[in-house]
C-alpha cells in the first residue's frame, strides 16, 4: 500500500518538507511504499474555472499538476502538510486542491482513500487547527476517510518542528493512525 506525502510549502527544505520526510520514513519502517510531492519544487497554477474538466479527463493548464494527478490516484493514503499563512494553508497548496477537482469529476478517484493533515505555525495556537480544517475539508469533498492523531485533528506543530516535542508527538501519532487504518483495511 502506498502513502503520498504532500508539502504545500513554497520553501525548500523547510519545516513542512522535513515533517513529510519524517512521517514517510516512519511509514516505510512499517512496510509501506511512499511517494512525495513538494510544491517547492513544482509549479501548480491556479484553477481558472474553465469547465474543461466537466467534459474531459484533462486539464488544459500546462504545469506540474500533470505529474501530481497520477500520484494522487495511485495513493492509498495522503498526508498533507502546510505552514500556516494567515490562518490558512499556502496559496500553492490551495491551487493543488482546486485543480484536483478533475479527479472528483472523474468518478471521485480519491474517494475512500485515507487522509490526514499536519500544520506548523509560529506559536502553539498559530492557526494550525484552522489550516488542518481546510485540508480536511478538501479531503471530505473528495469522499476520503479523514483521520487525526488519535485524540485531536492531526499533527499540530510549532516551528521549528525539530524543537517541538509535543507537536512532533502529534505528527508521529497521526502517521501511526494512518498506517494502522491502512493495515486494518488490508485485512478485510
Amino acid at each position: 500500500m502506498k502513502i503520498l506525502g504532500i508539502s504545500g510549502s513554497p520553501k525548500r527544505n523547510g519545516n513542512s518538507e522535513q515533517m513529510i520526510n519524517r512521517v514517510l520514513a516512519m511509514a516505510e519502517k512499517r512496510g509501506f511504499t511512499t511517494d512525495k510531492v513538494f510544491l517547492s519544487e513544482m509549479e501548480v497554477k491556479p484553477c481558472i474555472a474553465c469547465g474543461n474538466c466537466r467534459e474531459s479527463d484533462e486539464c488544459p493548464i500546462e504545469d506540474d499538476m500533470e505529474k501530481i494527478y497520477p500520484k494522487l490516484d495511485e495513493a492509498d493514503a495522503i498526508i498533507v502538510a502546510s505552514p500556516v499563512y494567515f490562518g490558512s494553508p499556502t496559496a500553492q497548496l490551495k491551487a493543488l486542491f482546486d485543480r484536483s477537482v478533475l479527479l472528483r469529476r472523474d468518478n471521485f478517484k480519491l474517494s475512500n482513500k485515507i487522509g490526514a493533515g499536519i500544520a506548523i505555525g509560529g506559536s502553539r495556537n498559530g492557526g494550525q487547527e484552522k489550516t488542518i480544517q481546510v485540508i480536511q475539508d478538501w479531503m471530505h469533498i473528495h469522499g476520503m476517510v479523514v483521520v487525526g492523531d488519535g485524540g485531536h485533528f492531526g499533527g499540530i506543530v510549532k516551528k521549528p518542528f525539530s524543537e517541538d516535542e509535543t507537536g512532533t508527538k502529534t505528527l508521529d501519532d497521526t502517521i501511526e493512525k494512518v498506517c494502522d487504518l491502512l493495515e486494518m483495511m488490508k485485512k478485510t
Side-chain angles (χ1 to χ4, degrees):
M1 300 188 97
K2 184 183 282 187
I3 301 173
L4 175 65
I6 299 173
S7 168
S9 177
K11 190 175 186 180
R12 286 186 189 219
N13 302 314
N15 287 297
S16 293
E17 289 183 7
Q18 291 174 43
M19 292 187 307
I20 288 295
N21 285 331
R22 178 185 179 95
V23 298
L24 292 182
M26 292 177 68
E28 287 170 4
K29 284 182 183 174
R30 288 190 57 176
F32 292 94
T33 303
T34 64
D35 197 0
K36 60 182 104 170
V37 169
F38 287 170
L39 293 181
S40 66
E41 300 170 357
M42 306 180 109
E43 179 187 25
V44 176
K45 296 175 186 171
C47 179
I48 57 170
C50 66
N52 191 69
C53 60
R54 283 190 173 95
E55 295 151 23
S56 171
D57 61 355
E58 292 183 15
C59 179
I61 299 172
E62 295 182 16
D63 61 8
D64 290 319
M65 198 65 196
E66 287 304 314
K67 298 173 190 170
I68 299 171
Y69 288 128
K71 291 176 182 280
L72 290 165
D73 188 28
E74 294 166 6
D76 297 295
I78 301 169
I79 187 161
V80 178
S82 182
V84 177
Y85 280 22
F86 284 88
S88 298
T90 65
Q92 292 81 358
L93 187 58
K94 182 64 167 81
L96 182 149
F97 288 172
D98 291 348
R99 296 278 301 287
S100 73
V101 70
L102 180 105
L103 298 173
R104 186 176 193 271
R105 290 181 174 155
D106 187 9
N107 296 313
F108 281 82
K109 285 199 170 179
L110 302 184
S111 181
N112 295 320
K113 295 179 187 286
I114 307 305
I118 54 180
I120 187 161
S123 65
R124 178 63 57 213
N125 299 306
Q128 292 92 324
E129 288 182 359
K130 296 255 184 208
T131 299
I132 288 173
Q133 181 178 6
V134 173
I135 293 168
Q136 291 177 346
D137 287 348
W138 169 74
M139 293 173 174
H140 283 300
I141 289 168
H142 276 287
M144 295 174 68
V145 177
V146 179
V147 300
D149 63 334
H152 295 97
F153 301 102
I156 296 178
V157 186
K158 178 183 172 207
K159 67 180 184 178
F161 107 91
S162 59
E163 296 176 15
D164 182 9
E165 289 181 34
T166 301
T168 300
K169 172 119 175 53
T170 66
L171 267 183
D172 296 350
D173 290 348
T174 300
I175 192 60
E176 293 294 342
K177 189 80 164 177
V178 168
C179 292
D180 290 347
L181 188 52
L182 283 172
E183 286 174 351
M184 285 190 290
M185 289 173 61
K186 190 176 182 180
K187 290 178 184 176
T188 59

